[in-house]
Amino acid sequence: MDLDDPTRTEPATDPAASPGSRHDTPAPREGEPLRQDKYAVPTGRQPLTPIVKPLPPDLFVVHGSTAETRWESMRGQGLHTPNDRFFVRNHTGTPLIDAERWRLRLHGSGLREPLALTYGDLLSLGSATADVAIECAGNGRSLFASQQGTPAPGVPWRLGGVGVARWHGVPLRTVLELAGVTEDAVDVMPRGLDAPYVEDGVDHGRVRRPLPVAKAMDDVLIAFEMNGRTLPPDHGFPARLVVPGWSGIASIKWLGDIEVSTTPLTSPWNTRFYRLFGPGHAEGGDPLTVQGVRSAFELPWEATLPAGRQVLHGRSWSGRGRVVEVEVSADGGGTWARARARVPRRPGVWTRWEFAWTPPGPGAYVLMARATDETGARQPDAAAFNTLGYQFGGVVRHPVTVV
Ligand SMILES: Nc1nc2c(c(=O)[nH]1)N[C@H]1C(S)=C(S)[C@@H](COP(=O)(O)O)O[C@H]1N2
Ligand SMILES: [Mo]
């Protein structure tokens, strides 16, 4: 077998993985045009489960092909979310990709010439490390229903669709410059190698979403390491984008190709999904880009706490910059007091905070935290509704029982 031919589908060695698996498209024969598309081709096989890593119930709440981090599992952790508990959001399932045969292809009208990089090329270009939060646009969605009585369809996240990792890789800018990005390029569309996404019988193709060239040239990384380890399969091995401040969907995993265009690009992931529709939004919806301000307690949802003085811990973050103030209320929003916060030196990550609390006695309480970021944006009492339930930014009412 020609190892340099990335168009060949590796035979599924696991017998249970082949019948009916989503990657059973036969490899094109020599000289035969690629049927699906020219650039994104399967270079691996489909595992047995949509998520490969273990999902122990003390670390995750699982919603189908998606797993959210339990906030109590962040208690005692440093700045980074360890890989074993970092949330996973998959539209279909984690593909197992053979890095030897993998290529990252750059193409399009906005480049002087197409470029193909091997995994080795990418590693040798690796020069950048950054601590960056990735948060799903749908994080907090279930709270539209439970707190505001306006349910929205989709993954019913509580607040565990967020994590911070130390990413290492190549600035996207470096790779775009290698390929000779032209002055009139406007959009950059990364595309994943996971199976095409089919919803209600409609095949939307592979997960892809355009980014303006200005953002692509600014602070976006092509990451191949996560917290000092090779990128795990669930998080995009061999390479993914990391787009600071933007909704997680921008950070395309299992990168296969990147189109650079001199005309605006669209995909269902910025026209149909991951767009703000509903009251207060334009007729055709408004674009969804930067994430807002959020706060979470490092507590189980519903928590049982002992009586007496104790220190509560939590984290607050914003896609727009550093969080500069956090306030906590333990009486349903009647009174607020400042939490002790450790403001990070750089934006893009969360602020860790603590709050000393002495419950007045046994019983049920609602804990609330609200943060303000360096742009002055503060979490509102209620989040603005949008029909797909993105960007729940309201103050979250965390139920606890003191015994
Ligand atoms: N190729 C591909 N990239 C993807 C996705 C996907 O399903 N396929 N999911 C996106 C979404 S919606 C989010 S929130 C992040 C989640 O990254 P994680 O699974 O590493 O936490 O990946 C994004 N990148
Ligand atoms: Mo997401």
Side-chain angles (χ1 to χ4, degrees):
M1 183 194 258
D2 179 7
L3 286 183
D4 290 335
D5 180 2
T7 64
R8 283 174 193 275
T9 304
E10 189 179 80
T13 46
D14 197 326
S18 63
S21 99
R22 284 179 297 243
H23 256 184
D24 52 8
T25 322
R29 267 172 314 215
E30 211 65 58
E32 185 187 51
L34 298 175
R35 257 170 308 137
Q36 266 201 332
D37 56 59
K38 202 162 132 205
Y39 297 98
V41 287
T43 54
R45 62 189 176 90
Q46 202 66 25
L48 293 171
T49 55
I51 297 176
V52 172
K53 70 182 178 184
L55 301 173
D58 56 325
L59 300 184
F60 292 102
V61 180
V62 178
H63 315 280
S65 61
T66 289
E68 77 170 286
T69 307
R70 285 193 187 272
W71 265 97
E72 61 269 37
S73 80
M74 290 306 294
R75 181 71 196 93
Q77 296 298 331
L79 179 68
H80 304 109
T81 308
N83 294 358
D84 69 352
R85 62 204 64 188
F86 203 99
F87 82 99
V88 181
R89 165 65 172 115
N90 282 349
H91 279 74
T92 58
T94 295
L96 299 179
I97 292 172
D98 178 351
E100 282 294 308
R101 290 184 299 146
W102 174 84
R103 297 288 181 276
L104 175 57
R105 297 179 191 280
L106 284 95
H107 57 98
S109 56
L111 294 180
R112 266 189 275 287
E113 56 189 292
L115 177 73
L117 297 175
T118 65
Y119 188 52
D121 293 337
L122 199 70
L123 299 193
S124 69
L125 289 168
S127 62
T129 304
D131 295 327
V132 177
I134 291 183
E135 181 180 28
C136 187
N139 200 24
R141 177 181 287 124
S142 71
L143 298 155
F144 277 114
S146 62
Q147 288 194 186
Q148 304 188 181
T150 52
V155 177
W157 298 99
R158 240 133 48 187
L159 281 173
V162 60
V164 171
R166 174 159 296 177
W167 308 98
H168 178 70
V170 189
L172 176 55
R173 178 192 191 107
T174 303
V175 171
L176 292 177
E177 282 173 348
L178 256 183
V181 58
T182 63
E183 291 214 330
D184 53 351
V186 295
D187 275 348
V188 171
M189 177 116 78
R191 177 163 48 174
L193 287 168
D194 38 342
Y197 177 60
V198 179
E199 189 195 56
D200 301 331
V202 181
D203 186 342
H204 296 287
R206 292 180 196 269
V207 177
R208 60 200 187 281
R209 192 174 201 256
L211 272 177
V213 79
K215 179 66 178 173
M217 296 291 281
D218 180 14
D219 57 357
V220 177
L221 264 189
I222 300 177
F224 51 78
E225 279 181 25
M226 178 178 183
N227 291 327
R229 298 294 181 103
T230 299
L231 199 59
D234 295 310
H235 298 290
F237 179 84
R240 77 174 302 164
L241 281 199
V242 173
V243 182
W246 283 47
S247 297
I249 185 59
S251 295
I252 295 293
K253 304 192 277 187
W254 313 293
L255 274 180
D257 75 291
I258 301 177
E259 178 179 358
V260 183
S261 174
T262 55
T263 54
L265 297 173
T266 59
S267 91
W269 284 268
N270 76 327
T271 56
R272 185 183 176 113
F273 324 122
Y274 299 92
R275 197 169 174 86
L276 300 166
F277 295 104
H281 292 292
E283 180 85 351
D286 286 317
L288 183 127
T289 58
V290 176
Q291 290 288 109
V293 197
R294 319 266 182 270
S295 301
F297 289 90
E298 295 171 1
L299 288 174
W301 187 279
E302 318 238 354
T304 301
L305 297 176
R309 186 184 184 277
Q310 53 203 291
V311 179
L312 304 172
H313 297 259
R315 299 172 191 239
S316 298
W317 61 99
S318 166
R320 298 195 191 93
R322 279 175 305 194
V323 162
V324 295
E325 185 182 81
V326 182
E327 300 158 281
V328 171
S329 172
D331 59 3
T335 58
W336 293 87
R338 258 183 127 152
R340 228 162 59 93
R342 208 189 290 205
V343 175
R345 269 168 294 154
R346 278 181 296 273
V349 296
W350 39 37
T351 286
R352 284 168 284 164
W353 46 261
E354 43 185 69
F355 184 82
W357 184 43
T358 307
Y365 294 86
V366 170
L367 295 177
M368 298 159 84
R370 72 175 177 208
T372 306
D373 72 17
E374 61 186 321
T375 72
R378 190 172 80 176
Q379 289 181 260
D381 291 338
F385 182 71
N386 60 93
T387 57
L388 298 179
Y390 294 125
Q391 298 198 329
F392 183 92
V395 175
V396 174
R397 305 174 64 86
H398 196 124
V400 305
T401 303
V402 174
V403 292

